[in-house]
Amino acid sequence: MGKGTDKLYITHSEWSSSDAYSASVGASSSTSVPGGSNNSGTFKRLPFNYCALTLQPFTHPVCTSAGLTFELTHILPWLKKHGDTNPVDGSPLQSSELIKLHFARNDEGEYVDPVTYRVFTDNTHIVALRNTGNVFAYDTVERLNVKPKMWRDLLDDTAFARSDIVTLQDPADGRARDVAGFQYRRDGAGVQEQESGGVNLAALGSSAKVLRAKEAVDKARRARQEIDANRNPAAVVLGARTSADGKTGKNNNGTAAGAGAAVHSTTRTSSTIPYNAAQHTTGKAAASFTSTGLTPHTSGERALLTEEEYMLKPRRVKEKGYARIQTTLGDLNVELQTEYAPRAVWNFVHLAKQGYYKGVAFHRNIRNFMIQGGDPTGTGRGGSSVWGKNFNDEFDGPLTHDSRGVISMANKGKNTNSSQFFITYREAKHLDRKHTIFGKVVGGLETLSRLENAPTDSSTNRPSEPIEIIDVVVFVDPFEEFRKQQREKEEEEKEREAVRRSGGREDERTTWTGKRIRGVGVGVDRGGDDGGGVGVSSVGKYLKASTATTAGGGGSSNGGGGQGGRKSVQDEVGGGDWQDDNLGMQQPSRKKIKGGGAGGFGNFDNW
């Protein structure tokens, strides 16, 4: 049944092709146009968001009572010039009869139904209300107005009649928007984009404001394209081509650009995901779906993390921090484990930089166990984090209380970390996964021994003589190092992009054999009787030698062709994509084969 196949069915393309025959498609269906004219050999339906006069997307849409859409800034000059004549069907049309349309858009700029937020396509049945100009999908009007007989506008509650429903696009009736059947196209009246210099703005009334606004927008767009020329030349060239095609209304084949529906307003542009994008969305779509007081959002936009939230994710910042705890009995050098406890390290480092621990005493000291401090009140019940509230535990890592000098957060239960910390004197496995480990002592172990041997009150475990923290000096802030590395990566990426746009660095053009890669079509001619030097591009020495031999008189390159034939073999080098610095040296003379090449395969130098 299929064309040239054993299929028992035909495809849609076969059914709608020029040689298809069915109840509604005949042999001459592709060449016949309503009205008996044959301006176009194929059916081309005007997209719903295109002006029927300029065949370009509209920005200020209006329509007639028959549902033909126009751009306001183009239909008004046409009516003034052609005596109030409809350019599509030739019927009388007054400017007062035009209906101003109100399309709804989503966050991506797509035309949607204002009630269901369904995106309009070329296959959507679209209608408008004559008295309000609001545009809906016909399914919405049918379900919410026609069937329940509730003749009120769904947006502003304005009363309307069934006769006020104007069909803008009906997929079942494609001939109503057939570009080939438009009257001005059958008459051969080309439509040029109107310039403001040829229109009397004072005679257009309120429409003059629209024309002036359009001119201002076009001027700003051209200025922005000039500014972006150095940053993205390809986009500027593409914009220029689009602008040129839009003014003529024609593509390369001479047909109307809008008729082919080559550009759709529903095209989505893909954007790169920011580095600090979260795994969850902003929740605007769900919130606007359940609340009428919020602006509707239809896209699942990902939330953006702050710089602090981005860095405080475990295993993101792997640089270790270093600090010195200066006490009245000596100094302790500590190493901070940022990779597995970023929040605890962030809290400790920023409190130390704020001078929070200056003059704070160790309020608890138990020999052969640990020493605890970090409470400004000295009671063990105070202290606050850098955020002003307690933060959660961090147990996602291999750190354990397996040795002397481990530094952990003191708490009063689950997820109650603040500013207090303790340093162990020995292994304490029973504290694992109960206290967040964020560092260890790497220097000053003799000071740690003096702290352990300090006399204490046996009833309260408080040191008999106050042991205070003089200051905490941060040598290496891991988060500042991470920021510095991020800035260096961004700068390197910018430099790499600039080098890539300029054609690459010189060392990237050299292969491991020492040859330099040259651009396509760049050749080098060196040495020889004519002085050498960089010359025109050549394909290869064998082909060039053959060409030079023919030009020198048809003789052989070994002496029968004159000076031109001799020079071409010795002076020409391969100039396609490679350049070798040793190719300019004098080539050794070849030994002449005895017997004129009677035996073997002969000499192939002149190929």
Side-chain angles (χ1 to χ4, degrees):
M1 184 174 183
K3 300 177 182 178
T5 64
D6 295 333
K7 296 183 301 183
L8 298 180
Y9 60 92
I10 58 175
T11 63
H12 174 73
S13 59
E14 294 174 343
W15 181 86
S16 59
S17 60
S18 59
D19 56 346
Y21 299 92
S22 67
S24 58
V25 179
S28 59
S29 60
S30 61
T31 58
S32 61
V33 185
S37 179
N38 190 15
N39 291 337
S40 178
T42 58
F43 169 76
K44 295 178 181 179
R45 182 175 60 181
L46 183 69
F48 74 93
N49 60 330
Y50 275 54
C51 172
L53 182 59
T54 62
L55 305 181
Q56 296 295 320
F58 51 63
T59 54
H60 305 90
V62 293
C63 75
T64 63
S65 57
L68 296 173
T69 56
F70 297 99
E71 169 63 34
L72 178 63
T73 58
H74 293 291
I75 188 61
L76 292 180
W78 172 277
L79 296 178
K80 182 178 179 63
K81 181 179 180 181
H82 295 83
D84 297 333
T85 302
N86 193 325
V88 174
D89 54 11
S91 61
L93 177 63
Q94 300 289 335
S95 59
S96 59
E97 299 176 0
L98 297 175
I99 303 171
K100 185 178 180 180
L101 300 178
H102 303 285
F103 279 88
R105 291 174 179 264
N106 58 11
D107 294 338
E108 287 76 18
E110 302 167 327
Y111 292 116
V112 296
D113 181 269
V115 178
T116 62
Y117 290 96
R118 176 186 174 186
V119 178
F120 288 158
T121 65
D122 292 336
N123 297 318
T124 306
H125 193 172
I126 305 174
V127 297
L129 301 183
R130 189 193 311 271
N131 54 347
T132 62
N134 295 328
V135 181
F136 302 91
Y138 179 74
D139 295 340
T140 303
V141 176
E142 183 183 21
R143 294 179 182 180
L144 301 180
N145 294 114
V146 178
K147 289 185 178 180
K149 297 182 180 180
M150 195 277 293
W151 305 105
R152 291 279 181 177
D153 193 308
L154 299 175
L155 295 183
D156 53 16
D157 201 36
T158 302
F160 69 94
R162 191 183 188 115
S163 58
D164 292 331
I165 301 178
V166 179
T167 301
L168 302 182
Q169 176 179 262
D170 186 2
D173 186 14
R175 292 295 175 180
R177 300 181 67 85
D178 185 11
V179 177
F182 290 174
Q183 179 70 32
Y184 74 91
R185 297 199 70 223
R186 292 202 301 264
D187 296 342
V191 181
Q192 300 291 337
E193 185 176 356
Q194 298 290 337
E195 299 292 340
S196 59
V199 179
N200 187 5
L201 298 180
L204 294 180
S206 60
S207 300
K209 297 181 180 180
V210 179
L211 288 176
R212 293 191 182 97
K214 184 177 181 181
E215 292 176 2
V217 171
D218 293 339
K219 182 178 180 181
R221 183 181 295 111
R222 288 192 298 268
R224 186 166 57 250
Q225 289 178 353
E226 293 177 359
I227 295 175
D228 296 341
N230 295 331
R231 283 182 278 180
N232 192 0
V236 177
V237 174
L238 180 60
R241 291 177 179 176
T242 305
S243 176
D245 293 342
K247 288 186 177 182
T248 58
K250 303 286 183 178
N251 56 20
N252 295 333
N253 296 330
T255 58
V263 181
H264 295 274
S265 63
T266 58
T267 303
R268 297 184 180 181
T269 57
S270 59
S271 58
T272 58
I273 300 177
Y275 75 95
N276 58 340
Q279 298 296 328
H280 57 277
T281 63
T282 57
K284 294 181 179 179
S288 61
F289 179 75
T290 56
S291 175
T292 58
L294 298 178
T295 302
H297 292 270
T298 58
S299 62
E301 181 182 0
R302 296 175 64 173
L304 297 181
L305 301 176
T306 62
E307 185 181 24
E308 178 180 337
E309 293 173 342
Y310 178 74
M311 290 190 296
L312 293 186
K313 184 178 180 180
R315 291 184 171 86
R316 174 154 290 160
V317 180
K318 298 185 179 181
E319 289 77 10
K320 295 182 179 180
Y322 292 92
R324 173 180 292 172
I325 303 176
Q326 301 174 354
T327 68
T328 55
L329 297 182
D331 298 340
L332 295 174
N333 296 331
V334 298
E335 181 183 74
L336 306 177
Q337 305 292 337
T338 317
E339 183 177 1
Y340 304 110
R343 291 185 177 274
V345 174
W346 177 281
N347 177 70
F348 181 81
V349 168
H350 283 76
L351 289 179
K353 288 184 175 181
Q354 296 173 6
Y356 185 87
Y357 292 118
K358 288 185 178 180
V360 177
F362 289 97
H363 60 272
R364 189 181 181 194
N365 188 12
I366 303 176
R367 181 176 298 180
N368 203 28
F369 181 37
M370 63 86 192
I371 183 171
Q372 182 175 341
D375 179 13
T377 63
T379 61
R381 298 183 180 89
S384 175
S385 69
V386 71
W387 299 287
K389 60 181 180 180
N390 297 334
F391 60 93
N392 295 341
D393 298 323
E394 296 172 294
F395 300 141
D396 187 14
L399 303 178
T400 58
H401 300 81
D402 56 353
S403 62
R404 179 182 177 89
V406 175
I407 306 176
S408 300
M409 295 298 300
N411 57 44
K412 52 186 177 182
K414 183 179 179 181
N415 299 329
T416 57
N417 301 293
S418 57
S419 63
Q420 297 188 37
F421 62 92
F422 64 89
I423 306 173
T424 61
Y425 291 139
R426 66 173 181 86
E427 178 184 351
K429 288 289 188 179
H430 63 283
L431 300 180
D432 292 346
R433 305 195 65 81
K434 295 181 181 178
H435 296 270
T436 300
I437 302 173
F438 67 93
K440 65 178 179 179
V441 177
V442 295
L445 295 179
E446 63 280 357
T447 301
L448 189 62
S449 300
R450 286 195 294 269
L451 293 174
E452 183 179 9
N453 296 326
T456 59
D457 187 354
S458 58
S459 60
T460 60
N461 294 323
R462 180 180 295 272
S464 301
E465 296 292 334
I467 305 175
E468 296 181 353
I469 300 176
I470 300 175
D471 195 7
V472 177
V473 181
V474 179
F475 295 130
V476 178
D477 186 347
F479 303 101
E480 289 295 334
E481 294 295 324
F482 181 78
R483 292 191 186 100
K484 182 179 179 181
Q485 293 179 4
Q486 289 294 106
R487 289 193 294 267
E488 291 177 354
K489 288 182 180 178
E490 292 177 359
E491 293 177 358
E492 291 178 359
E493 184 64 26
K494 291 180 181 179
E495 293 178 358
R496 192 180 300 111
E497 181 66 18
V499 171
R500 185 187 65 82
R501 291 182 178 179
S502 62
R505 294 192 299 268
E506 187 65 26
D507 55 348
E508 294 178 348
R509 302 178 185 178
T510 305
T511 65
W512 65 274
T513 61
K515 296 182 179 180
R516 285 180 292 172
I517 303 176
R518 302 182 61 86
V520 178
V522 179
V524 177
D525 293 339
R526 297 188 180 182
D529 299 335
D530 57 352
V534 179
V536 297
S537 61
S538 60
V539 179
K541 65 179 181 178
Y542 300 114
L543 183 58
K544 187 66 175 293
S546 177
T547 306
T549 301
T550 304
S556 65
S557 62
N558 294 330
Q563 184 179 0
R566 292 192 301 272
K567 182 177 67 172
S568 61
V569 176
Q570 298 178 359
D571 293 21
E572 292 298 327
V573 298
D577 293 330
W578 303 90
Q579 176 184 349
D580 198 334
D581 295 336
N582 297 326
L583 289 177
M585 300 175 60
Q586 183 67 26
Q587 299 292 334
S589 58
R590 301 193 178 188
K591 192 173 182 181
K592 188 174 181 180
I593 301 176
K594 296 181 179 180
F601 293 101
N603 189 356
F604 294 95
D605 286 348
N606 293 330
W607 276 32

